[in-house]
Amino acid sequence: MDNLTFRHSVLLMERLKVTPQSSYPVFILLFLAYVFTMVSNFGLIVLISTEKNLHNPMHFLFCNLPLNDMLGTTVILPRLMQDILQETSEHYISITYMQCVTQAYFVHIFIAACHYVLIIMAFDRYVAICNPLRYSAIMTNKMVIKLSAFAWGLAILLVTIMLGLTVRLSHCRSKIENPFCDNASLFKLSCESVVINNIYGIVYTVAVLCFSAVSIFITYVKIAVVCKSSKNKALNSKAIKTCSTHLAVYLVMFFSGAIMTFLHRFPEYSDSRKLTSIMFHILPPGLKIP
């Protein structure tokens, strides 16, 4: 199949497995989750923008999270809700190749940006707690812009390379065995060698997970050491308040993301992978509270 046909071909994407009796309850649950995520995250951005007391580096950096959460939720849930309401016995729905690539691109942008944004937020907390006297000198508006640009720029660069390696492939299959599109689902359509894609995908995933895990681990260990050596109860309370939520969200995101990625290599666990991947776009966005 030539590349032109490949670019405009129609794919069949697996629908979310929901019985007719549970379709409306599941739709309502997803709808409430979507509305809660969008309203709460948009409300946080408006609050930070309008409340002068929140005009500080920590909250400006935090704005990256609700923006990313709205992106990650919007790229998945509306399409799932639309599919659930369709009264059909078909197991698959039609989607164009370019729609699938677009969805996969933003799915991976969301996943990567989650890690990098939490890294720069952990750095901000490290400076604030471990070096408070120099905080205002280090965390300037220019530094906030640089850190935010780093998080989004690195996510866009690495995901563009990953999807670029996939769209170069022709394909001999048309079924996406997933309720939404991602990179692994796309390159599984090809009958060409996908060794490069698999290697890049594994290396990319391990690198992102290890980089974020090591960075955040070192940061919070240093924060814990400072809190332990300090007898300042106000400092300890501030550290716990600002770091505990970020750490909890990161752990949920880390393990669900790792499980989702590696289960792609084990078809016998496809149902568990699909549920985990959907939860990844619902739970973390609802937990990210400053």
Side-chain angles (χ1 to χ4, degrees):
M1 184 177 293
D2 60 35
N3 284 338
L4 182 61
T5 305
F6 178 53
R7 294 287 187 270
H8 298 280
S9 60
V10 176
L11 305 177
L12 297 176
M13 186 168 64
E14 184 179 25
R15 297 184 64 195
L16 188 64
K17 293 180 180 179
V18 178
T19 63
Q21 295 79 10
S22 60
S23 59
Y24 285 103
V26 172
F27 173 83
I28 293 172
L29 181 63
L30 292 179
F31 177 76
L32 291 176
Y34 181 68
V35 171
F36 173 77
T37 299
M38 296 300 291
V39 171
S40 60
N41 282 287
F42 182 74
L44 285 172
I45 296 175
V46 172
L47 178 63
I48 292 172
S49 300
T50 57
E51 183 60 51
K52 291 185 178 180
N53 293 333
L54 300 179
H55 289 180
N56 54 62
M58 181 186 78
H59 289 96
F60 286 146
L61 287 175
F62 178 81
C63 283
N64 288 290
L65 279 182
L67 285 172
N68 191 46
D69 291 340
M70 289 191 290
L71 168 67
T73 307
T74 300
V75 79
I76 293 294
L77 291 190
R79 183 59 187 259
L80 286 180
M81 291 187 290
Q82 178 185 349
D83 297 341
I84 289 173
L85 289 182
Q86 291 181 356
E87 296 182 0
T88 176
S89 59
E90 296 295 329
H91 186 58
Y92 294 90
I93 58 173
S94 298
I95 183 173
T96 68
Y97 177 76
M98 291 311 299
Q99 286 177 329
C100 195
V101 170
T102 301
Q103 185 182 48
Y105 184 79
F106 287 108
V107 163
H108 287 283
I109 289 291
F110 164 70
I111 295 172
C114 281
H115 288 273
Y116 301 137
V117 169
L118 287 173
I119 290 173
I120 64 176
M121 291 182 66
F123 172 75
D124 171 77
R125 292 300 82 207
Y126 166 75
V127 176
I129 295 170
C130 299
N131 203 353
L133 297 180
R134 297 192 59 213
Y135 180 77
S136 59
I138 297 174
M139 295 303 299
T140 60
N141 291 336
K142 188 176 181 179
M143 176 60 74
V144 169
I145 294 173
K146 285 183 177 180
L147 290 173
S148 299
F150 164 78
W152 288 98
L154 188 58
I156 291 171
L157 173 64
L158 295 179
V159 172
T160 300
I161 294 173
M162 180 171 63
L163 266 297
L165 291 173
T166 297
V167 298
R168 69 186 173 86
L169 301 170
S170 61
H171 73 269
C172 59
R173 304 180 185 91
S174 61
K175 290 185 178 180
I176 299 289
E177 303 294 340
N178 205 41
F180 62 87
C181 296
D182 58 10
N183 182 59
S185 297
L186 281 169
F187 71 66
K188 285 179 180 179
L189 299 175
S190 179
C191 291
E192 298 181 38
S193 172
V194 293
V195 173
I196 295 177
N197 300 75
N198 266 314
I199 292 175
Y200 183 87
I202 291 294
V203 171
Y204 165 78
T205 302
V206 171
V208 170
L209 293 178
C210 289
F211 175 56
S212 63
V214 170
S215 300
I216 290 177
F217 176 77
I218 292 175
T219 300
Y220 283 114
V221 165
K222 290 185 176 181
I223 290 174
V225 170
V226 170
C227 292
K228 185 177 180 180
S229 61
S230 173
K231 295 181 180 180
N232 189 333
K233 292 184 178 180
L235 175 66
N236 294 342
S237 176
K238 179 181 179 182
I240 293 173
K241 181 180 179 181
T242 58
C243 297
S244 58
T245 302
H246 296 160
L247 187 59
V249 170
Y250 176 77
L251 291 175
V252 171
M253 181 191 66
F254 179 91
F255 287 109
S256 60
I259 292 171
M260 175 182 66
T261 300
F262 288 107
L263 284 183
H264 249 300
R265 276 71 187 176
F266 302 95
E268 61 270 25
Y269 300 112
S270 61
D271 289 338
S272 299
R273 170 181 56 79
K274 294 166 189 173
L275 179 61
T276 302
S277 62
I278 293 173
M279 289 299 101
F280 184 86
H281 290 262
I282 297 176
L283 290 180
L287 291 174
K288 291 169 187 173
I289 303 170

